[in-house]
Structures are given as C-alpha cells and as structure tokens.
Amino acid sequence: MPPNRNGNLSVVYFQEFVLEGFEGGLETQVLLFAVFLAMYLLTVLGNLTMIVIITLDARLHSPMYFFLKNLSFLDLCYSSVIAPNVLANFFSSSKVITFEGCATQIFFFSLLVTTEGFLLGVMAYDRFIAICSPLHYPIMMCTSACARLVLGTYCGGCLNSIVQTSFTFSLPFCSSNHIDHFFCDVPPLLRLACANTALNELIMFGICGLIIVSVTFVVLVSYGYIAVTIVRMRSAAGRHKVFSTCGSHMTAVTLFVGTVFVMYAQPGAIESMEQGKVVSVFYTLVIPMLNPIIYSLRNKDVKEALWRLKHTAT
C-alpha cells in the first residue's frame, strides 16, 4: 500500500473479493468440476426425492418425517448457496464476488447450517418422546408443536447469522481482497481484516461451541433415555426398528457436528485454511448428499413409500 503525506501507509478498502478456490492446472480444475457437479446433482436429486416422497405419501405424514422433510429442504438450500457459484468459478478468469454478494452468501449459509444443527437436536427430542413416552407423543408433538419447534430452529439460525455477518463485515478489509477459499466464509475473511479480530474469533468460537454443546447435550440425553427403553423392550422386531431409525439419525448428527467443530469451534480453525477447504467440501456437499441415502437406505417406511410412488407413476 502506498504511503500518504504523513508517511504512514494509506488504507485501501476493497469493494469486491476474489475467491481463489483450489490450486492446480486445467486438468485438476476439470476433475474437481466434475466431482463437484456430480455431488451437487446427487444432492439435489436425493433431497428433492425425499421432499416429494414425504409430501405425497400420506403414511409419512408424521412428526418424524415432517422434521426429515425440513432437513432435506435445508440440505438442498445450503448446498445451493455454495455449489453453483463454486462450479461457475472453476472456469472463470476473474472469480470475483462483490462485497454485498459475499455478505449475502455468509448470511444465508450461516442461517441454514445453524438451523440444521438445531433441527438435528429437535429430531433427537422427537425420537425421545416417541419411544419413551408413546402415550403422550400425539399431544406433545402435535402439528402446531412441530411447527413451533421448526420455527424456533430458524429463529436460532437467523440470530446466529445476523451476529456472525454483522461482526465480520464491520471489520475493515484492506490488506488483500483474495479469499483463500472456494466460498465466502468467516474464518478466511478474518484473515484479510486489517484490524484486531480477537473479539470476532471469540464470538465465532463461543457461539459455535455453544450450539455444538447444546445440540450434542440434547442428543446424548435423548439417546441415553432411548437406550434404557430399548434394553427393556421384549420385542426383537421393535428393538430393530428403533435401532434402525435412531442409528440413521446418530450417523447424521456425528457427521454434521464433527465437521462443524473442526471448522468453527476450535482455536486452530483460522490458520488451517487448506484443511478448512477439505472440511468445507465435506459439510457443504458431501453431508447434504449423504443424508438422503442415510435416511432412505436404513428406513423401511421410506423405501416402501418410494416403491409405492414408482408403481403409482407407472
């Protein structure tokens, strides 16, 4: 940066950013484009299929599948916030994203990812009520209660999104406008700020840590009670059905919480951007692609509903 009249360095504020993406030559970029495109298409196809099946099949109009449909909607949306722009940038010479576009991407990505985290906790609570208090389940998890729970997850996601976006974009970005990432995210942007980011890092680690701890606590407590109930079950078929349903959810929770923790809730997240890119690919595309597979392949009701839908269409 050039010195000003007082001999100090002048500050140049940027109105746009450059997403550096992934390193490598043309062959590497083509290969990555093909991989990203395949994962995104599978994500869209899988989650849309889940939404359509649950919407059309009356036998799946229960609280569990209502939450599962919302999970598929979130997976579809937050992967779509990232993937199209990433695919376009593979063969773009500029890879430029405006200041407003970057802020918008961070806002919606934070909103949807945080909402999904809370929704996974709600789904664990739903299974706890269904298995441990089946007589009270129709009352406690009525349509209005389910709607309020989902609305609460979106409110929590919106609150975190507003905080993260406002604190991040209150910083001056004057050292460089090249983001060492394939999409706009808080950790790589904090590296570009020419101001003290200690408060921003504390807020990011604190809020993300609180979300992870609270969701994990709800899941562990819920499944602790569920495990006790399963042990007391006399029916082997009943135990198998519970294990199948809960196993799918535990797999989804473990994948989601593990990757979010590595990226946002540990002190080394800001410095390890190369690791961050790999982890980000996992939770922006791989997990949304896997969730429909996890919940459909291990779920007899979903497979039967898909079979009925196929035969109805033919």
Side-chain angles (χ1 to χ4, degrees):
M1 290 179 288
N4 59 21
R5 293 180 181 178
N6 297 325
N8 299 321
L9 290 177
S10 61
V11 178
V12 178
Y13 294 97
F14 299 103
Q15 297 300 315
E16 59 184 24
F17 297 103
V18 177
L19 295 168
E20 293 188 349
F22 298 92
E23 297 180 354
L26 181 60
E27 291 184 359
T28 303
Q29 298 298 311
V30 171
L31 177 61
L32 288 174
F33 174 84
V35 172
F36 270 66
L37 180 61
M39 287 193 296
Y40 181 58
L41 291 177
L42 288 173
T43 299
V44 172
L45 179 62
N47 286 289
L48 279 179
T49 301
M50 291 295 291
I51 292 171
V52 170
I53 289 174
I54 295 171
T55 300
L56 296 181
D57 197 308
R59 301 184 190 184
L60 300 183
H61 291 177
S62 66
M64 182 178 77
Y65 293 105
F66 172 73
F67 296 132
L68 184 55
K69 183 167 73 171
N70 277 275
L71 179 68
S72 293
F73 174 75
L74 288 169
D75 283 336
L76 178 64
C77 287
Y78 86 72
S79 60
S80 297
V81 169
I82 305 300
N85 181 253
V86 176
L87 292 170
N89 282 341
F90 273 117
F91 302 110
S92 172
S93 57
S94 62
K95 299 184 179 182
V96 168
I97 185 169
T98 63
F99 188 90
E100 293 79 10
C102 189
T104 302
Q105 191 175 58
I106 285 183
F107 177 83
F108 282 105
F109 181 69
S110 299
L111 166 64
L112 295 165
V113 171
T114 307
T115 301
E116 176 155 332
F118 286 132
L119 184 63
L120 290 171
V122 168
M123 292 172 72
Y125 173 73
D126 170 70
R127 291 297 82 206
F128 159 68
I129 299 297
I131 295 168
C132 300
S133 301
L135 297 179
H136 297 94
Y137 184 71
I139 300 172
M140 296 182 67
M141 301 302 291
C142 62
T143 303
S144 60
C146 293
R148 287 195 297 269
L149 286 170
V150 170
L151 180 61
T153 64
Y154 276 93
C155 290
C158 188
L159 179 61
N160 178 49
S161 183
I162 290 171
V163 171
Q164 298 288 359
T165 306
S166 59
F167 271 85
T168 300
F169 285 90
S170 65
L171 294 169
F173 300 103
C174 53
S175 59
S176 172
N177 68 334
H178 285 252
I179 300 176
D180 187 16
H181 215 309
F182 59 89
F183 71 98
C184 283
D185 201 7
V186 175
L189 276 172
L190 294 185
R191 300 182 69 188
L192 302 183
C194 51
N196 191 342
T197 61
L199 177 61
N200 297 74
E201 293 179 29
L202 180 63
I203 289 172
M204 184 181 73
F205 297 145
I207 294 179
C208 293
L210 180 62
I211 292 170
I212 290 173
V213 169
S214 61
V215 170
T216 304
F217 176 77
V218 170
V219 171
L220 290 179
V221 171
S222 298
Y223 280 102
Y225 280 104
I226 289 172
V228 173
T229 304
I230 290 174
V231 171
R232 295 174 179 174
M233 283 184 177
R234 296 181 179 180
S235 169
R239 285 197 299 268
H240 180 269
K241 184 175 181 180
V242 172
F243 270 123
S244 177
T245 303
C246 296
S248 299
H249 185 248
M250 281 299 295
T251 303
V253 171
T254 302
L255 290 172
F256 183 85
V257 171
T259 52
V260 171
F261 174 79
V262 170
M263 189 63 197
Y264 299 106
Q266 60 166 336
I270 300 298
E271 286 77 18
S272 55
M273 280 298 101
E274 289 304 316
Q275 171 187 293
K277 290 180 185 180
V278 177
V279 176
S280 296
V281 170
F282 201 78
Y283 70 78
T284 55
L285 282 173
V286 176
I287 290 179
M289 178 186 67
L290 290 178
N291 276 344
I293 300 173
I294 292 171
Y295 282 102
S296 61
L297 292 181
R298 295 174 61 91
N299 192 307
K300 182 181 177 182
D301 293 336
V302 172
K303 288 188 285 188
E304 289 178 352
L306 182 59
W307 183 84
R308 286 193 296 270
L309 185 63
K310 286 181 179 178
H311 279 263
T312 302
T314 55

